[in-house]
Amino acid sequence: MLFRSALLTGLIFMRYSHKIFLCLGFVIAATSAAADKVTSAVEQVADPAPSFLVSMPIMDDDPANGIEHPVVEFVRFWGDVTGANIEIERYPFKRSIKQAATGQVDFHFPLIIDRDALNKSTTIRDLGFEYSTQRVMTINFILYTRLDTPVDLNKLSEYRLATFSGHGNLFPFPIEEDHAIESSLMKLSSGRIDGYIFAESGGDPTLLELGLTGIKRQLYKVYDVHAVLPRGGRGQKADQFITEAVSLLATKELPLSWQYHEYVDWQVGDDIIPRIVQK
């Protein structure tokens, strides 16, 4: 009886074994496909956001106490709009540029580009670094002079002029480089130099803070502002990120200090001074 039962079971298994294995194969395949989908989903979720190490110059802020210059806050916001992680290191201006040029960081910001000067005297390759493809903003450079000593904009090579460190190569005439806006404006006020040229976003608030009423301001030139990248294609990822960030910024309502402002010909002592230059 036991033998007949075992034999019957064996015959049934043989008859239906191909269907059993077919079902098992389907279950295994379905399970494998589902596992692949789960793995893919996990990988997508776990894919880390891109990270960028940025060098920026030391400015008149206090990052140790949580007070950062608007330009630094501006770059951090790039990470917010793109989902990227932004880490910022601060250096003296020239060293900050070198950090990017040598590939120690992903990019430096900001640096002005003078297309006119490049077209006349040099090329991007001669600079030792590359500019970002995307222009990030434009900025007004102001010539500060003394009210009692007029300066001819067409003959600037005849005067003693100064600018902020790292910007001397912008000008087609001899110019000193100084590390502090305050000291340069004080030199101008005392007659040690005839003029100081720098971005209005740095010079104007300092001029008001020092209370130098004998200083005249006038527009020197409007420049494009870019980021600095390593040469040789090493900055391609950062370049794409900057392009994306600037595109997204165009859709946002930005704080006043991050926006470009047309030049306004105001002077110290005027009744109305643009709010953007008041600290």
Side-chain angles (χ1 to χ4, degrees):
M1 184 70 177
L2 183 60
F3 174 76
R4 287 183 61 190
S5 177
L7 180 61
L8 181 61
T9 301
L11 291 172
I12 293 172
F13 179 78
M14 290 176 64
R15 181 175 180 180
Y16 294 103
S17 62
H18 67 287
K19 295 184 178 180
I20 294 173
F21 284 119
L22 183 62
C23 290
L24 285 175
F26 174 78
V27 171
I28 292 171
T31 303
S32 177
D36 288 343
K37 290 182 179 179
V38 171
T39 301
S40 177
V42 170
E43 287 176 350
Q44 290 179 7
V45 172
D47 187 24
S51 297
F52 297 95
L53 180 59
V54 185
S55 62
M56 299 190 70
I58 297 170
M59 304 180 191
D60 57 342
D61 53 1
D62 189 7
N65 291 314
I67 302 174
E68 292 190 316
H69 193 281
V71 175
V72 180
E73 294 177 337
F74 181 51
V75 173
R76 291 198 188 282
F77 190 63
W78 300 359
D80 294 340
V81 298
T82 61
N85 297 313
I86 301 292
E87 182 180 348
I88 296 176
E89 296 180 347
R90 307 288 290 276
Y91 299 96
F93 199 92
K94 285 187 175 181
R95 183 181 172 191
S96 183
I97 295 173
K98 185 176 180 180
Q99 289 292 104
T102 57
Q104 302 302 306
V105 299
D106 293 302
F107 65 91
H108 157 94
F109 186 82
L111 190 63
I112 291 161
I113 182 170
D114 186 350
R115 294 289 182 184
D116 294 337
L118 285 175
N119 291 339
K120 291 177 183 177
S121 61
T122 186
T123 64
I124 294 291
R125 184 173 298 278
D126 296 329
L127 297 174
F129 57 81
E130 294 181 6
Y131 282 103
S132 60
T133 303
Q134 177 66 51
R135 179 187 69 186
V136 179
M137 61 175 69
T138 54
I139 191 168
N140 300 325
F141 260 50
I142 307 300
L143 169 62
Y144 300 92
T145 57
R146 290 188 305 280
L147 285 171
D148 59 1
T149 309
V151 169
D152 187 342
L153 274 171
N154 297 315
K155 299 179 180 179
L156 292 179
S157 60
E158 299 178 4
Y159 300 94
R160 296 169 299 168
L161 303 174
T163 189
F164 193 76
S165 176
H167 293 79
N169 63 341
L170 286 174
F171 310 105
F173 43 77
I175 193 166
E176 301 174 13
E177 293 191 7
D178 203 345
H179 296 282
I181 301 172
E182 295 88 344
S183 63
S184 293
L185 290 175
M186 292 300 294
K187 288 178 183 179
L188 173 61
S189 180
S190 65
R192 294 169 58 190
I193 57 176
D194 299 315
Y196 180 67
I197 307 176
F198 193 49
E200 66 177 354
S201 57
D204 285 355
T206 305
L207 180 64
L208 289 177
E209 189 175 89
L210 294 174
L212 301 176
T213 57
I215 301 299
K216 175 185 176 180
R217 56 186 298 282
Q218 59 185 308
L219 180 65
Y220 171 73
K221 193 171 186 177
V222 180
Y223 289 103
D224 292 343
V225 182
H226 290 246
V228 170
L229 306 169
R231 282 177 54 180
R234 291 178 295 165
Q236 184 175 4
K237 180 181 177 182
D239 195 31
Q240 293 173 347
F241 161 71
I242 294 166
T243 298
E244 178 189 4
V246 173
S247 176
L248 291 171
L249 288 172
T251 68
K252 306 294 182 181
E253 184 175 347
L254 303 177
L256 186 65
S257 59
W258 296 357
Q259 301 174 26
Y260 170 69
H261 303 272
E262 296 288 344
Y263 172 71
V264 178
D265 188 19
W266 63 269
Q267 303 298 331
V268 177
D270 287 354
D271 293 334
I272 300 177
I273 295 175
R275 182 162 57 92
I276 186 62
V277 303
Q278 302 180 40
K279 285 190 175 183

